[in-house]
Amino acid sequence: MEPITGRALILACSAIGAGLAMIAGIGPGIGQGYAAGKGAEGVGRQPEAQADIVRTMLLGAAVAETTGIYGLIIALILLFANPLIGLL
Amino acid sequence: MDNANFIVRFLTWLMTFDRKALILAASAIGAGFAMIAGIGPGVGQGYAAGKGAEAVSINPKASKQATMVMLLGAAVAETSGILALVVALILLFGNPLVTQQGAVLILAASAIGAGLSMIAGIGPGIGQGYAAGKGTEATGRRPQYQSNVVRAMFLGQAVAQTTGIYALIISLVLMFANPLVRLL
């Protein structure tokens, strides 16, 4: 069998870590969905203010997206620009 | 290797198995992890269904419109569950990692990572289901504005889907275009 090198262990753990990082996507998904729901509710109550309601909703959703992007960045770094093997 | 710690001893024990067996075992775990995403659509669509029942009870005349919006929203909320199912089925029936060249440990860990990544689908599932519920509620209250409500609902749901798509991308990269194997 091929022996385990430290490099292989780091890369293997990087694969699992990239997957774990993406679990962060739960949060923005729930939060933006709540915003979408309230947006639909608001448009239903006040259809003439649709443009304003949607603008505020998208603004808030963009802020809620940030942590999901952070998770994606860490996963992409682990996959494509792994800094850990350089430290070995 | 006499004074090796628990992790190294565990990994050395793992390496005594056949290469294919190790990757397939990890794929089984990964497929299981991926399906945890099913929590999301379950909770979200349940909320939408509850709001549908509520809307029909408040305004029985708009029952058709409310039910239609509920089903539309619930269909969108289903996507994360379907994406997780696709990843799990790929790991089970079209496993791309078994035939891949490279270190077995990294390929096995990639199978687990691909599954873990899809757990993110919980979020879009719950969130889009909530949006579907609120859309149903609003349609039940004022059926004449159904198209406006559905438009706002779909727009918000599309934004909520993004993190699920990110997770799918990472999962597919781990399975089909693994950059870690080449680093060894």
Side-chain angles (χ1 to χ4, degrees), chain A residues 33 36-42 44, chain B residues 47-48 51-52 55 65-70 73 128-143 145-146 148-154 157:
Chain A
K38 283 290 175 187
E41 194 183 352
Chain B
Y47 179 85
K51 278 292 174 189
Q65 285 103 316
T67 306
M68 167 101 93
V69 174
M70 183 191 81
Q128 291 168 344
Y130 180 86
K134 281 293 176 186
T136 307
E137 190 185 349
T139 304
R141 198 181 294 136
R142 302 178 81 179
Y145 292 116
Q146 183 187 3
N148 299 47
V149 169
V150 168
R151 201 180 308 138
M153 183 186 81
F154 275 160
Q157 283 180 329

Side-chain angles (χ1 to χ4, degrees), chain A:
Chain A
M1 288 317 303
E2 43 191 312
I4 314 163
T5 61
R7 207 176 155 86
L9 183 59
I10 291 174
L11 290 171
C13 291
S14 297
I16 296 177
L20 284 173
M22 292 314 295
I23 296 179
I26 293 174
I30 296 178
Q32 291 168 348
Y34 181 86
K38 283 290 175 187
E41 194 183 352
V43 171
R45 191 180 295 142
Q46 206 78 263
E48 59 274 16
Q50 186 183 0
D52 292 319
I53 291 169
V54 169
R55 196 185 311 133
T56 305
M57 182 188 82
L58 285 181
L59 202 66
V63 179
E65 182 76 15
T66 48
T67 51
I69 307 258
Y70 299 160
L72 179 67
I73 291 171
I74 294 300
L76 289 175
I77 288 175
L78 279 171
L79 293 181
F80 293 102
N82 200 306
L84 301 171
I85 36 174
L87 295 175
L88 204 66

Side-chain angles (χ1 to χ4, degrees), chain B residues 114-171:
Chain B
L116 281 173
S117 175
M118 292 313 293
I119 296 179
I122 293 175
I126 295 179
Q128 291 168 344
Y130 180 86
K134 281 293 176 186
T136 307
E137 190 185 349
T139 304
R141 198 181 294 136
R142 302 178 81 179
Q144 67 271 31
Y145 292 116
Q146 183 187 3
S147 63
N148 299 47
V149 169
V150 168
R151 201 180 308 138
M153 183 186 81
F154 275 160
L155 194 67
Q157 283 180 329
V159 179
Q161 183 69 57
T162 49
T163 51
I165 302 281
Y166 299 161
L168 179 68
I169 291 170
I170 293 297
S171 185

Side-chain angles (χ1 to χ4, degrees), chain B residues 20-71:
Chain B
K20 273 193 176 172
L22 200 55
I23 295 176
L24 291 174
S27 299
I29 297 174
F33 272 136
M35 291 319 294
I36 295 178
I39 294 173
V43 174
Q45 290 168 347
Y47 179 85
K51 278 292 174 189
E54 192 185 321
V56 172
S57 75
I58 290 172
N59 187 2
K61 273 180 283 179
S63 121
K64 249 191 189 152
Q65 285 103 316
T67 306
M68 167 101 93
V69 174
M70 183 191 81
L71 288 178

